[in-house]
Amino acid sequence: MQRAIKKEAGDNYLKRIVVAFLAVIMMTTMLRPQIVQAASAGIIIKSKDNKVPTYKAGEKKTWTFTVTNHSGNQIPMNNVTVTPDLGDNNDVWPFKTEMQSYQKNLGTLENGESKDVSFDFTQREDVPTSRYTLKFKIAADGQEEAEKQFYVNTTAKPEQKSDNKNNKADKNTDNNVDNNGKGADSGYNASYQSLDAGGYSNGDAVYSGGVSDGGSDGSEASGNGSVPRVIVTGFSTDPAEVRAGSNFKLTIHLKNTSKMKVSNMLFDLAAPTEGSDEQSTSPAFLPSSGASSMYLDSIAPNGTADISIELNAKADLLQKPYSMDLSMKYEDPNATQVEGSSSISIPVKQDARFEFSDFEISPQSIAVGEEANVMCSLYNLGRIKLYNVKATFEGKNIKKSEVFIGNVESGATGSIDAMLEGKKVSDGPSKVTMTLSYEDESGNISKTTKDLTLEVTEKMDDEAVAADVPEEETQKSFPVIPVVIVVLVIAAVAAVVILKKRKKKQLAESEEEELLDELERSSEDEHQ
């Protein structure tokens, strides 16, 4: 009885080992390598007509933008919102703030889908003629908030012109008149307000008022009571785009709006001071030769003239407009000194500078229908932010592939990670071209290219692939399944050895029991 129980226990133990062995083999065969790709996400927002809008004081206009889901991901973007950044003061927001929030919700955007969003803005009355940089924030569920900058031109409120004759009549009426009919004071006071120039190379008109330097307000400028006005009607630069670290020629266009000649004219330009510390602080623009003063002999009545100066832009300037103050001193026909001032705004451009790391290609050779992973890094070495960076891989032996990187800040690194699928067999390593495109703050697109090589071979069946695998490659790759099978075989052999030992032990015990039984029976027979 005991021997039967022990035998049944041994058989059950052997069955459990066999079941475990089969389960491990089934789990091993179910293992498959998987490659997971993370799709980059991105939202693009552009001004619909791609033009810089121009507003006037008190004018209400609609500004329309186009928002596009450019993520390349089949999963749609939900709760897409566009929000203008009003800033903390009127210096950054030229419009009337009529609502607490101007946020617009576009709902859901499918991959590649575009929607328009419009905002109604009214320019404030106190805004000068200038250019403002406005920020708009774009967000969606599960996406990092992005920011895009746009320019807008503003126009100051027109100056109220007064009639000189009516002013004289009103002035003479208020003054005391003697019996001979002679007025005690036939002059009048006039004051003028200086306005900032818009800062554009298209010649927008700017008014520059005059004030005499003798402590008066300009009433003694001429015998007829008028003050000669010299205004800045615009400016131009050569080259048209001013680049940081380069020289350029600034030409300012002037006009004498009065009916009298002005002469002995002295002009002086003052640039803003830029720099992060005392050692690097200096004017944004410095004369490349000579001084910042300019002289002009005279301008005829209602005549025009130009003044020019060679300047150098600092190499570390940020990409934005820089305002320069222009002071003017000149004389009327009576040699009365008159002073005026104006300002111009010069946009400075920074060249984009970036480098690529070496390509990491795995594997170097693929068959038709297979994929190779291509990775490299983009280092933004310039002082400007790269917007909507995208890499496109093209070649006659692969399928076209696009990767959206997004925005890359100055001094930051962007990662390019693409999967290239073989399309046609190549004759050895073939060229693949990566085209990198990006936008600047104005939405202008620039491109650059970088080449790599990839070999595409014919597609082979599994047996041929196994036969062609080099011995070194087989040794280098870790044989997961064979190792597991070997371990299981060793475990099975060990189990068989253990079972044999147990059976041998059980057999010895049973023989010993039989011998004891025979001895007991013999002793009983002897007693009988």
Side-chain angles (χ1 to χ4, degrees):
M1 183 67 179
Q2 293 180 354
R3 182 174 60 185
I5 294 174
K6 291 182 178 180
K7 182 178 179 181
E8 184 179 357
D11 293 340
N12 292 336
Y13 182 75
L14 180 60
K15 289 179 180 179
R16 287 198 295 269
I17 293 179
V18 173
V19 170
F21 175 75
L22 294 175
V24 172
I25 291 179
M26 292 178 63
M27 292 178 63
T28 304
T29 56
M30 294 174 62
L31 293 176
R32 295 291 185 271
Q34 297 180 350
I35 299 175
V36 180
Q37 281 185 277
S40 299
I43 306 177
I44 297 177
I45 180 171
K46 292 183 178 180
S47 183
K48 188 169 185 180
D49 56 3
N50 202 26
K51 293 182 180 179
V52 178
T54 300
Y55 283 76
K56 297 179 181 179
E59 180 184 30
K60 185 175 183 178
K61 290 177 64 176
T62 300
W63 193 356
T64 303
F65 301 86
T66 300
V67 182
T68 305
N69 178 356
H70 203 276
S71 64
N73 195 335
Q74 297 304 321
I75 301 176
M77 290 187 178
N78 298 319
N79 196 27
V80 180
T81 59
V82 180
T83 308
D85 187 357
L86 307 185
D88 297 329
N89 52 61
N90 290 337
D91 294 337
V92 298
W93 187 253
F95 304 121
K96 294 180 180 179
T97 305
E98 300 171 327
M99 294 185 293
Q100 292 293 334
S101 175
Y102 283 84
Q103 185 180 87
K104 294 291 183 72
N105 192 312
L106 302 181
T108 300
L109 278 180
E110 300 289 342
N111 179 36
E113 183 183 4
S114 299
K115 289 185 179 180
D116 291 344
V117 57
S118 300
F119 297 90
D120 293 329
F121 296 137
T122 304
Q123 181 183 317
R124 301 197 317 269
E125 299 283 347
D126 59 338
V127 173
T129 300
S130 185
R131 179 173 73 175
Y132 283 80
T133 302
L134 306 184
K135 298 179 180 179
F136 288 77
K137 297 179 180 179
I138 311 97
D141 289 346
Q143 303 295 325
E144 184 178 354
E145 185 179 69
E147 185 178 87
K148 183 69 182 291
Q149 293 181 341
F150 294 92
Y151 292 131
V152 61
N153 298 336
T154 58
T155 306
K157 185 177 181 180
E159 181 193 7
Q160 297 294 332
K161 296 183 179 179
S162 59
D163 190 326
N164 290 341
K165 294 181 180 180
N166 293 338
N167 288 343
K168 288 181 180 180
D170 295 340
K171 186 70 177 180
N172 289 335
T173 302
D174 294 337
N175 291 333
N176 294 327
V177 181
D178 58 16
N179 293 332
N180 295 330
K182 295 181 180 181
D185 185 4
S186 61
Y188 75 98
N189 295 332
S191 61
Y192 305 94
Q193 179 183 9
S194 297
L195 300 178
D196 289 342
Y200 312 109
S201 300
N202 58 0
D204 291 344
V206 178
Y207 167 70
S208 175
V211 180
S212 64
D213 63 346
S216 65
D217 57 5
S219 60
E220 299 177 359
S222 62
N224 60 7
S226 63
V227 177
R229 302 178 184 178
V230 177
I231 65 172
V232 175
T233 59
F235 72 91
S236 61
T237 60
D238 184 20
E241 285 191 350
V242 178
R243 303 254 171 207
S246 64
N247 293 338
F248 65 97
K249 182 179 180 181
L250 174 64
T251 301
I252 301 175
H253 311 302
L254 306 169
K255 182 176 181 179
N256 178 10
T257 62
S258 65
K259 296 182 180 181
M260 63 184 71
K261 178 181 178 181
V262 293
S263 58
N264 196 23
M265 308 181 72
L266 180 64
F267 304 90
D268 189 72
L269 275 172
T273 300
E274 296 291 327
S276 56
D277 51 54
E278 295 182 357
Q279 296 180 351
S280 62
T281 299
S282 63
F285 306 105
L286 287 174
S288 56
S289 62
S292 59
S293 298
M294 295 163 283
Y295 179 79
L296 192 62
D297 183 60
S298 62
I299 302 179
N302 293 319
T304 60
D306 291 343
I307 54 175
S308 300
I309 187 173
E310 294 282 345
L311 297 173
N312 175 266
K314 284 185 63 179
D316 59 352
L317 293 181
L318 298 177
Q319 182 166 299
K320 66 176 184 177
Y322 289 85
S323 178
M324 295 188 70
D325 295 327
L326 175 68
S327 62
M328 299 178 283
K329 294 181 181 181
Y330 49 91
E331 298 176 356
D332 65 5
N334 296 325
T336 302
Q337 292 284 339
V338 181
E339 293 184 3
S341 63
S342 184
S343 64
I344 58 177
S345 184
I346 302 177
V348 174
K349 297 287 185 180
Q350 270 278 1
D351 290 327
R353 292 195 310 113
F354 51 84
E355 292 181 359
F356 297 103
S357 66
D358 293 334
F359 282 113
E360 296 181 12
I361 308 172
S362 177
Q364 295 281 349
S365 176
I366 59 174
V368 175
E370 293 182 351
E371 292 183 333
N373 181 232
V374 178
M375 294 187 298
C376 73
S377 296
L378 169 66
Y379 308 119
N380 187 359
L381 307 177
R383 294 181 176 272
I384 63 173
K385 182 178 180 180
L386 305 180
Y387 294 90
N388 298 324
V389 182
K390 182 178 67 174
T392 304
F393 293 84
E394 294 178 291
K396 63 180 181 179
N397 300 101
I398 66 165
K399 292 184 179 180
K400 182 178 179 181
S401 177
E402 292 185 349
V403 178
F404 185 77
I405 295 98
N407 301 335
V408 182
E409 298 285 349
S410 172
T413 301
S415 297
I416 303 174
D417 190 346
M419 298 299 295
L420 306 184
E421 181 179 349
K423 179 180 67 173
K424 187 173 65 174
V425 177
S426 64
D427 186 12
S430 63
K431 184 176 76 171
V432 177
T433 300
M434 180 187 73
T435 302
L436 187 85
S437 63
Y438 60 92
E439 299 178 7
D440 60 13
E441 293 181 348
S442 302
N444 300 318
I445 300 177
S446 301
K447 296 182 179 180
T448 187
T449 60
K450 183 178 175 67
D451 294 334
L452 60 107
T453 58
L454 182 66
E455 184 178 9
V456 181
T457 61
E458 292 184 359
K459 187 174 183 180
M460 303 174 65
D461 55 22
D462 295 340
E463 294 181 359
V465 172
D468 292 339
V469 174
E471 183 179 354
E472 293 182 358
E473 183 177 349
T474 305
Q475 293 176 355
K476 289 181 180 178
S477 61
F478 187 76
V480 179
I481 296 177
V483 169
V484 173
I485 294 175
V486 170
V487 171
L488 294 176
V489 170
I490 293 174
V493 172
V496 171
V497 172
I498 293 172
L499 287 175
K500 285 185 177 181
K501 288 184 177 181
R502 287 193 175 187
K503 285 184 177 181
K504 188 176 181 181
K505 185 177 180 181
Q506 290 174 0
L507 183 58
E509 290 177 352
S510 64
E511 291 177 352
E512 184 178 354
E513 288 178 358
E514 290 177 358
L515 182 59
L516 291 174
D517 290 340
E518 290 179 359
L519 291 174
E520 289 178 358
R521 286 196 297 270
S522 300
S523 61
E524 289 178 356
D525 292 341
E526 289 177 359
H527 287 297
Q528 291 176 357

